[in-house]
Amino acid sequence: GRKEKGINSDEKIEAVEKYLRGQGSQKRIAREYGISKTTFQQWIANYEAMGPSGLISTSTTIDTLPN
């Protein structure tokens, strides 16, 4: 099976908003969603930089800008 279960953008937004509302630690929420804490921190950073649209799934990562 897959290591990480597929998570859609709604779930990402839900996880980050839960954390921002103080409803759990990064570690606890990351475990709840089956992701690493590092991944979750990236979601939080994207959310804080761009709002919920920063978490809408794209197949490419946000930081791959052309030189």
Side-chain angles (χ1 to χ4, degrees):
R2 292 174 305 188
K3 282 195 180 79
E4 285 187 359
K5 60 180 182 165
I7 292 178
N8 63 36
S9 45
D10 288 343
E11 288 174 306
K12 291 184 185 182
I13 293 164
E14 181 184 283
V16 172
E17 289 181 343
K18 193 182 277 194
Y19 168 71
L20 294 175
R21 284 194 304 265
Q23 294 181 296
S25 66
Q26 288 182 4
K27 192 170 162 186
R28 205 192 86 182
I29 294 169
R31 193 185 307 129
E32 190 180 315
Y33 284 82
I35 55 165
S36 72
K37 198 172 123 195
T38 313
T39 299
F40 189 43
Q41 286 169 337
Q42 187 63 60
W43 294 0
I44 295 165
N46 289 353
Y47 184 96
E48 288 179 338
M50 292 168 277
S53 61
L55 296 178
I56 308 242
S57 290
T58 54
S59 55
T60 55
T61 51
I62 289 152
D63 58 8
T64 51
L65 297 172
N67 293 331

